[in-house]
Amino acid sequence: MIAGILLFLPLTAVLLIVELRLDSATRGSPVQGWLAEHLYLPLLRSAALLIFIFVAHPELFGIPEAPSLGALLADGHYRFDQLINVLLLIALLLPMVPLLDRVSGLTLALQGMCAVALVASWMASERGVPIALAPDIWLVVRISAVLLAARIAGELLAREFLVTRRNRELILEALRMLAQLPAVVLYAHFLGAQL
């Protein structure tokens, strides 16, 4: 899992640079700006998250041994497509839900949780073991605390060190990206305990 984290950190930095460039490139076009915010960037974030999950597998779930992701993807029809589609649907639809669109980092965390839930469900079907995907209330509280702590830390850092609005948004985005890792790991361990 350390390799996954070490790979995810530079990917996050690259993603922030791409976000800056996309923001500059789409500034004059509302349609391109919407596409960048709701399609291009979520796709890139999903790719970074999938790379982390693929590299961290199976340690991500807290289990020493599991079928390789290549084998899991090959065992079903269009499993990789399902994974990408779920991540994009969450990125497109969740911001349209009233009140949920204001919860910082929720979309990224849900994308990660859905991705590990799909992988865990494939492992469970491979092993013939039933698995409960819904987290218990204590896990929801811990994940919420991680996301809230990232938001508070981002606001404090932004207020203390950054003056421009764009830089403030970038630091908040970086912390959201990083905060999803503990949230995803907590949920993956919850699933792995059932496998």
Side-chain angles (χ1 to χ4, degrees):
M1 186 162 53
I2 300 292
I5 292 170
L6 291 176
L7 189 56
F8 187 78
L9 293 175
L11 283 175
T12 299
V14 168
L15 185 59
L16 293 175
I17 293 168
V18 168
E19 186 171 337
L20 269 176
R21 303 251 172 147
L22 269 176
D23 184 50
S24 298
T26 60
R27 190 163 288 150
S29 171
V31 172
Q32 288 298 323
W34 187 92
L35 285 172
E37 184 178 339
H38 292 94
L39 186 62
Y40 306 147
L41 288 173
L43 182 61
L44 291 173
R45 289 180 191 126
S46 300
L49 183 62
L50 286 178
I51 290 170
F52 166 73
I53 291 169
F54 289 176
V55 171
H57 176 77
E59 292 87 13
L60 175 64
F61 294 94
I63 54 178
E65 210 173 282
S68 72
L69 279 171
L72 289 173
L73 290 171
D75 279 348
H77 294 348
Y78 305 108
R79 282 187 170 175
F80 187 74
D81 294 343
Q82 290 172 351
L83 201 52
I84 296 295
N85 288 339
V86 164
L87 296 178
L88 283 176
L89 278 174
I90 291 169
L92 286 171
L93 297 179
L94 194 65
M96 295 180 189
V97 177
L99 298 178
L100 288 183
D101 63 336
R102 296 181 184 180
V103 180
S104 177
L106 183 63
T107 301
L108 294 172
L110 281 177
Q111 282 180 318
M113 291 169 65
C114 286
V116 296
L118 271 174
V119 173
S121 69
W122 299 337
M123 287 192 296
S125 69
E126 177 88 12
R127 294 180 177 194
V129 180
I131 188 170
L133 298 177
D136 58 19
I137 191 68
W138 177 238
L139 181 60
V140 171
V141 168
R142 288 189 295 168
I143 289 171
S144 300
V146 166
L147 296 176
L148 181 63
R151 178 63 184 196
I152 291 170
E155 289 291 342
L156 291 174
L157 282 173
R159 191 177 314 141
E160 194 66 32
F161 298 110
L162 302 170
V163 290
T164 65
R165 183 177 183 273
R166 185 65 197 141
N167 288 343
R168 179 179 176 275
E169 290 300 319
L170 273 180
I171 196 76
L172 290 175
E173 185 62 34
L175 287 171
R176 282 184 209 125
M177 290 284 294
L178 295 176
Q180 76 178 335
L181 289 185
V184 168
V185 170
L186 285 170
Y187 182 63
H189 275 72
F190 164 76
L191 296 173
Q194 302 176 57
L195 293 172

